[in-house]
Amino acid sequence: MSSSATSSPSPESGEQAPVRYATTPPRPPGLAPKDTPITWAKDNVPSIVGAVLLLAFVAWCAFEAFGPTPADDARLPAQGALTLAVFAIAIWLWIFSSIGDTYVALGAAIVLVLTGMLSDSQLFSSLGEDTVWLLLAAFVIAAGVTATGLSTRAAVYIVTGATGVRQLVYLVTGVLVATAFAIPSTSGRAALALPIFVALAQALHDRERLVLALSLLFPSVILLSAVASYLGAGAHIITSQILQTSGYEGFSFTTWLIFGLPLAVVSSYACAELIMWLFLDKEGRSQKLDVSVEKLEEHTSMPLTGPLTVGQSRAALLTLAVVLLWCTESLHGLHPAVVALLGALLATSPGYGLVTMGKALKTVPWSMLLFMAATLTLGTALVESGAADWLAHRVLGPVSDAGAAAGVVFVVVVVVMSTAAHLIIQSRSARSAVLIPIVVSLAPGIGVDPMAAAFASTAAAGFCHTLTSSAKPVTLFSDVEGIETYQPKDLLRLSAFLAPLMVGMVLFFSFVIWPLMGMPLFL
């Protein structure tokens, strides 16, 4: 026996059986080999750089609050300095730490309460905002509709009408745009759409390039079409609430629909064409298809044929009634949250209900609702402490020196920043909580309408396709068991073309389309 061999009991005989090591016996856990050099991990470099920038920013805020009086007499209030410091730390944790976004947001809000920057009533009242109740009830309704299988049947029925590749892509795009009004949040829509994609991918398994294109199409359209609906993303609600906190009207379900739906449709179909152009050759785009309901039914456990069930018929009527009431608020005067609560009660009622209340509540993303409430609180603190106004003038103030072109330059900078922000802050709601207070504070002084600027910023933030970690739908469709979807290089290729296209579309709508529809860009 070699001198490097040790012995251990044999599980069968109880005797000492030789165990040989290829090199040396393993070291105790937690100890590195003596000859292993201690080096800085490359992965830590961005977080270290971010920490240095964070400290520099906090020091700058402290100097602006307590240092010599600035020449322009624009001193940062002490409360604003503390609020900015807490907010900057939260941003660093959102970007570089593995701590959950909700935990960070709630922690930051608690710190602001403990330091007196916010009252405890302001923190708790954010959880009672009408928009939180609106989202909560909408999720309950969506749980009932999903439980009946109506959404899947409707989508499959539409998709199976395709006789060619382009027609299939267009039909899928239309279905995904429509889901923005039925399912709150992009994550919920992605979870709903995933079984449809899997069935399509398995039915088209012999067309790998088409499956790749569809895997990119689903999350891309889900993200871009969210701007169609006030409930499409939590960021929309945060934007409206920050506007109202700042003394502006904000947006309702109807006004958001009027301005958001045209952009959602145009950007979604432009993205669909771009994906076909980038990932399918001319022959692939013109191929004929035969996707039947029976063929898709082979790859799903849900029945897709036959008459609608009683539950599905009720789900269709309920969804239609709720959306119509939301769109006609000016006629009946019922608050959208009240309409949603009535719909939720019907969806879970003992006689008419589609699902039990307990089961529906289990599907509600409570973490997202808490995160939204906490970020609303942070946004309120930025506005009321004077921090947003001061930061806006310090960071974007030089834009005002552009003279007559200041308003145009400001809008372009805001749209570009909002489009690129997903590379730093993954959460769309967090991006709105950071950007919108600054945009709203600075816009009036440059002659730009705050509501139009905030809407443009929020719409541009819908682009978050660059990395698999940039948005939950992108992450979900990047790893589908048994199906080969896209790689990081495919996302980068798509983003290289889609990002400038999205910036151009948002700017075109901001300068041309939305003013014609009643939302002027300039004061």
Side-chain angles (χ1 to χ4, degrees), residues 314-333:
R314 290 176 176 178
L317 290 173
L318 177 61
T319 303
L320 179 62
V322 169
V323 173
L324 284 177
L325 288 172
W326 279 339
C327 294
T328 55
E329 179 187 356
S330 60
L331 298 178
H332 52 72

Side-chain angles (χ1 to χ4, degrees), residues 215-225 268 271 275 462 465 473-474 491 494 498:
S215 71
L216 287 164
L217 179 72
F218 272 77
S220 296
V221 173
I222 287 171
L223 292 169
L224 294 179
S225 62
S268 295
C271 178
I275 289 174
H465 301 61
V474 181
L491 283 176
L494 174 61
L498 185 58

Side-chain angles (χ1 to χ4, degrees), residues 262-333:
L263 176 62
V265 172
V266 172
S267 61
S268 295
Y269 279 97
C271 178
E273 278 291 340
L274 180 62
I275 289 174
M276 285 191 288
W277 178 67
L278 289 174
F279 298 97
L280 296 174
D281 56 22
K282 185 176 180 180
E283 181 182 353
R285 294 191 294 270
S286 60
Q287 281 183 334
K288 298 296 183 181
L289 290 178
D290 181 19
V291 183
S292 63
V293 175
E294 291 75 19
K295 192 171 183 180
L296 290 179
E297 201 167 24
E298 295 175 2
H299 306 287
T300 179
S301 58
M302 181 178 296
L304 303 177
T305 55
L308 294 179
T309 64
V310 173
Q312 289 169 348
S313 299
R314 290 176 176 178
L317 290 173
L318 177 61
T319 303
L320 179 62
V322 169
V323 173
L324 284 177
L325 288 172
W326 279 339
C327 294
T328 55
E329 179 187 356
S330 60
L331 298 178
H332 52 72

Side-chain angles (χ1 to χ4, degrees), residues 54 57-58 61 80-90:
L54 170 64
F57 178 78
V58 172
C61 292
L82 181 56
T83 301
L84 282 175
V86 172
F87 205 68
I89 293 171

Side-chain angles (χ1 to χ4, degrees), residues 50 61 121 128 213 269-270 274 277 305 353 359 383 392 410 454 469 477:
C61 292
S121 60
Y269 279 97
L274 180 62
W277 178 67
T305 55
K359 188 174 181 180
V383 173
F410 171 74
S469 59
F477 279 84

Side-chain angles (χ1 to χ4, degrees), residues 26-352:
R27 297 177 62 81
L31 296 180
K34 293 182 179 180
D35 57 349
T36 301
I38 299 177
T39 58
W40 287 101
K42 292 182 179 180
D43 292 343
N44 292 333
V45 173
S47 60
I48 294 172
V49 173
V52 172
L53 293 175
L54 170 64
L55 292 174
F57 178 78
V58 172
W60 177 45
C61 292
F63 178 80
E64 291 287 341
F66 305 106
T69 303
D72 58 1
D73 202 31
R75 177 181 292 279
L76 173 64
Q79 289 186 333
L82 181 56
T83 301
L84 282 175
V86 172
F87 205 68
I89 293 171
I91 293 174
W92 187 90
L93 291 172
W94 280 332
I95 298 171
F96 298 110
S97 78
S98 58
I99 304 175
D101 290 345
T102 303
Y103 189 93
V104 171
L106 284 174
I110 289 294
V111 170
L112 290 176
V113 171
L114 293 177
T115 54
M117 299 301 101
L118 284 173
S119 65
D120 51 5
S121 60
Q122 286 177 303
L123 172 61
F124 298 139
S125 63
S126 65
L127 289 170
E129 287 282 352
D130 53 6
T131 49
V132 174
W133 282 97
L134 174 62
L135 266 182
L136 172 61
F139 274 112
V140 172
I141 296 172
V145 174
T146 303
T148 66
L150 173 67
S151 50
T152 301
R153 284 197 62 169
V156 169
Y157 177 77
I158 294 172
V159 166
T160 51
T163 58
V165 170
R166 176 170 269 104
Q167 191 177 11
L168 173 65
V169 169
Y170 276 19
L171 288 172
V172 168
T173 300
V175 169
L176 293 174
V177 171
T179 61
F181 301 98
I183 308 294
S185 87
T186 54
S187 301
R189 293 166 62 204
L192 173 71
L194 185 60
I196 302 173
F197 165 73
V198 170
L200 280 172
Q202 291 175 340
L204 301 169
H205 63 88
D206 56 334
R207 306 191 186 194
E208 296 180 357
R209 298 299 299 178
L210 179 55
V211 172
L212 169 62
L214 289 173
S215 71
L216 287 164
L217 179 72
F218 272 77
S220 296
V221 173
I222 287 171
L223 292 169
L224 294 179
S225 62
V227 73
S229 171
Y230 184 62
L231 300 179
H236 304 169
I237 297 172
I238 290 173
T239 295
S240 185
Q241 289 292 316
I242 291 175
L243 282 166
Q244 292 174 7
T245 301
S246 303
Y248 300 100
E249 183 180 355
F251 294 94
S252 66
F253 184 90
T254 305
T255 54
W256 195 286
L257 168 68
I258 291 172
F259 299 119
L261 181 58
L263 176 62
V265 172
V266 172
S267 61
S268 295
Y269 279 97
C271 178
E273 278 291 340
L274 180 62
I275 289 174
M276 285 191 288
W277 178 67
L278 289 174
F279 298 97
L280 296 174
D281 56 22
K282 185 176 180 180
E283 181 182 353
R285 294 191 294 270
S286 60
Q287 281 183 334
K288 298 296 183 181
L289 290 178
D290 181 19
V291 183
S292 63
V293 175
E294 291 75 19
K295 192 171 183 180
L296 290 179
E297 201 167 24
E298 295 175 2
H299 306 287
T300 179
S301 58
M302 181 178 296
L304 303 177
T305 55
L308 294 179
T309 64
V310 173
Q312 289 169 348
S313 299
R314 290 176 176 178
L317 290 173
L318 177 61
T319 303
L320 179 62
V322 169
V323 173
L324 284 177
L325 288 172
W326 279 339
C327 294
T328 55
E329 179 187 356
S330 60
L331 298 178
H332 52 72
L334 286 176
H335 193 284
V338 174
V339 172
L341 286 170
L342 288 173
L345 288 175
L346 277 176
T348 57
S349 61
Y352 186 90

